[in-house]
Amino acid sequence: MNPSSTRPVRPVILVVDDTPDNLLLMANLLKDSYTVKAANNGEKALRIARDTPPPDLILLDIMMPGMSGHEVAQALQADPDTRDIPIIFLTAMASSEDETHGLELGAADYITKPISPPVVLARVRTQLKVKDAADFLRDKNEYLEQEVQRRTRELGAIQDVTIHAMASLAETRDNETGNHIRRTQHYVKVLAEHLREHPRFRAFLDPDTIKLLFKSAPLHDIGKIGIPDRILLKPGRFEPEEFEIMKTHTTLGRDAIAHAEQQLGMDVDFLRLAKEIAYSHQEKWDGSGYPEGLAGDAIPISARLMALADVYDALISRRVYKEGMSHEKAVQIIAEGRGSHFDPDVCDAFLANLQVFQQIAARYADSDQDMAKQAAAIAHTLPAQ
């Protein structure tokens, strides 16, 4: 809660002076308009200043036994809870050097003794008005920062919901369950975090990009929406012409995301990565993949990470028409693809995180209920063809 919301109606002024007569004089001068608190030494002044709510203004003597006024001012300025309380020095030290030193310590004003009551009251009113304005701006800025954070969270949530809705729509037409997108996005994150300090990947895999990769990964197969069910849901091997149609899901996915981006009228970072992943995750390190036959570093890093994540999940996951392969066999196949199917360093990152991959696979494993639901969906779809 903002301290100002619990503040008394009358401003609180803390008077600090080791002389009782001076404390009494200031209290009598200020009591009609302000709530006055008094401290006869620096230590007590700091305790009162750190109370809740803190004073609105401090009138501070300089020449005191123990902590001097200058030391009290320094302590107040060093504490985030008290640094914004304005200080007016009240002192018999009247030289310009003394005044300059006081202002350098953060004082808002400097009044010499013996005091003139009208001058003190006028200076107090002025500093309280300045403080009110500063508090208003600070509260406004805090509110705006909170509002920006809230709207940023809302925007992120909307993006996440939109992505998962689009990805889930594609999954409903595929022979994979929705857990596939959860598993693969976590696999991609593990690989990216392992490689973030690698010389080949350091410039690309900063923390923000890793977050965007995690957000984008579920859209890797969005293009499957455009593949006919007779091909997409076929349990056996594709005929050559069927495979050519199936391969177009990469281009369809990229183009669908690009079209959405054009509708927005602006470039969006996570959609840029989503386009790369959707279009190039079937490329292979040796150039034998599709759609363009890219090789080596010509394949976007995002797609190289997705390629391994997608293959691992395809190998170990249950399908309506088959059981999943063992983790050990899947690891062997991926290791054999090091330098041919997969970027060698990405493959090494996978081999260094086998236990984590197994944990992700277990956490988002497909249940019997998931598989039954998918089988029913396929059975409902195929007869209509």
Side-chain angles (χ1 to χ4, degrees):
M1 181 179 292
N2 191 317
S4 62
S5 63
T6 59
R7 186 173 299 287
V9 175
R10 285 159 57 101
V12 177
I13 297 180
L14 171 60
V15 182
V16 187
D17 199 303
D18 63 310
T19 304
D21 288 344
N22 289 339
L23 290 176
L24 181 61
L25 172 65
M26 296 306 299
N28 288 332
L29 177 62
L30 299 167
K31 66 182 182 180
D32 289 340
S33 301
Y34 309 106
T35 298
V36 181
K37 294 185 178 182
N40 58 6
N41 59 65
E43 292 80 1
K44 184 177 180 180
L46 291 177
R47 287 196 300 271
I48 295 174
R50 290 164 180 156
D51 281 348
T52 301
D56 295 283
L57 178 68
I58 298 175
L59 299 176
L60 180 59
D61 186 24
I62 294 178
M63 300 292 290
M64 295 186 295
M67 289 186 75
S68 70
H70 288 160
E71 291 171 328
V72 173
Q74 288 175 316
L76 291 169
Q77 288 291 305
D79 187 340
D81 292 332
T82 58
R83 67 174 53 158
D84 295 322
I85 304 173
I87 299 169
I88 298 177
F89 278 127
L90 293 177
T91 179
M93 300 170 64
S95 71
S96 60
E97 290 81 4
D98 293 328
E99 183 174 355
T100 299
H101 183 53
L103 295 174
E104 288 173 347
L105 291 174
D109 208 342
Y110 196 97
I111 302 175
T112 58
K113 298 177 181 178
I115 66 164
S116 166
V119 170
V120 171
L121 291 174
R123 299 282 184 87
V124 166
R125 284 194 298 269
T126 297
Q127 292 305 323
L128 288 175
K129 287 180 181 179
V130 171
K131 182 178 185 297
D132 283 345
D135 287 347
F136 174 80
L137 291 175
R138 185 163 49 252
D139 291 346
K140 193 72 172 176
N141 286 337
E142 289 177 1
Y143 169 77
L144 291 174
E145 288 176 5
Q146 292 171 1
E147 188 68 8
V148 168
Q149 291 173 3
R150 182 184 69 81
R151 297 200 175 195
T152 300
R153 288 194 299 270
E154 286 183 354
L155 177 60
I158 291 170
Q159 288 178 346
D160 291 342
V161 168
T162 302
I163 289 169
H164 279 276
M166 293 172 65
S168 295
L169 181 61
E171 299 278 341
T172 60
R173 298 193 57 253
D174 200 353
N175 53 35
E176 297 169 336
T177 70
N179 288 323
H180 169 69
I181 62 176
R182 297 181 183 90
R183 291 190 297 264
T184 51
Q185 71 177 159
H186 282 279
Y187 297 151
V188 167
K189 182 180 180 183
V190 170
L191 295 172
E193 289 181 340
H194 183 88
L195 292 166
R196 62 181 295 183
E197 297 301 329
H198 192 289
R200 290 183 58 222
F201 301 91
R202 186 184 298 130
F204 175 73
L205 292 176
D206 56 81
D208 288 339
T209 299
I210 293 175
K211 290 179 183 177
L212 293 177
L213 284 169
F214 184 81
K215 188 186 291 283
S216 306
L219 294 177
H220 65 283
D221 276 340
I222 188 67
K224 287 183 178 180
I225 291 176
I227 303 300
D229 288 334
R230 63 181 175 79
I231 297 174
L232 187 65
L233 301 178
K234 184 177 180 179
R237 282 184 170 274
F238 294 128
E239 296 298 328
E241 65 275 12
E242 292 174 332
F243 186 53
E244 290 303 313
I245 294 173
M246 185 63 187
K247 289 196 298 185
T248 64
H249 82 275
T250 55
T251 303
L252 291 171
R254 179 202 61 185
D255 292 348
I257 297 168
H259 179 71
E261 197 172 31
Q262 289 170 3
Q263 293 295 105
L264 288 174
M266 59 185 292
D267 293 333
V268 182
D269 281 342
F270 82 88
L271 290 182
R272 173 181 58 82
L273 292 177
K275 286 186 294 185
E276 290 180 356
I277 291 171
Y279 188 59
S280 301
H281 71 281
Q282 294 290 349
E283 300 285 4
K284 296 182 180 181
W285 185 251
D286 62 5
S288 63
Y290 64 87
E292 292 192 19
L294 301 178
D297 288 331
I299 306 169
I301 292 173
S302 59
R304 283 180 253 161
L305 299 174
M306 189 71 234
L308 191 145
D310 197 33
V311 169
Y312 174 76
D313 200 64
L315 292 173
I316 67 163
S317 296
R318 301 165 65 188
R319 293 288 186 271
V320 172
Y321 55 85
K322 76 173 184 71
E323 287 298 315
M325 185 181 294
S326 72
H327 168 77
E328 291 73 20
K329 180 62 176 175
V331 170
Q332 178 186 342
I333 290 174
I334 289 178
E336 289 172 353
R338 183 185 187 277
S340 55
H341 191 154
F342 308 111
D343 180 328
D345 290 322
V346 173
C347 189
D348 291 345
F350 164 72
L351 296 174
N353 288 277
L354 296 180
Q355 185 176 0
V356 181
F357 268 64
Q358 281 186 293
Q359 291 169 348
I360 293 170
R363 187 185 317 150
Y364 300 105
D366 296 319
S367 67
D368 291 341
Q369 185 178 5
D370 292 329
M371 301 310 299
K373 182 178 178 181
Q374 196 69 14
I378 293 174
H380 176 75
T381 302
L382 283 178
Q385 300 306 307

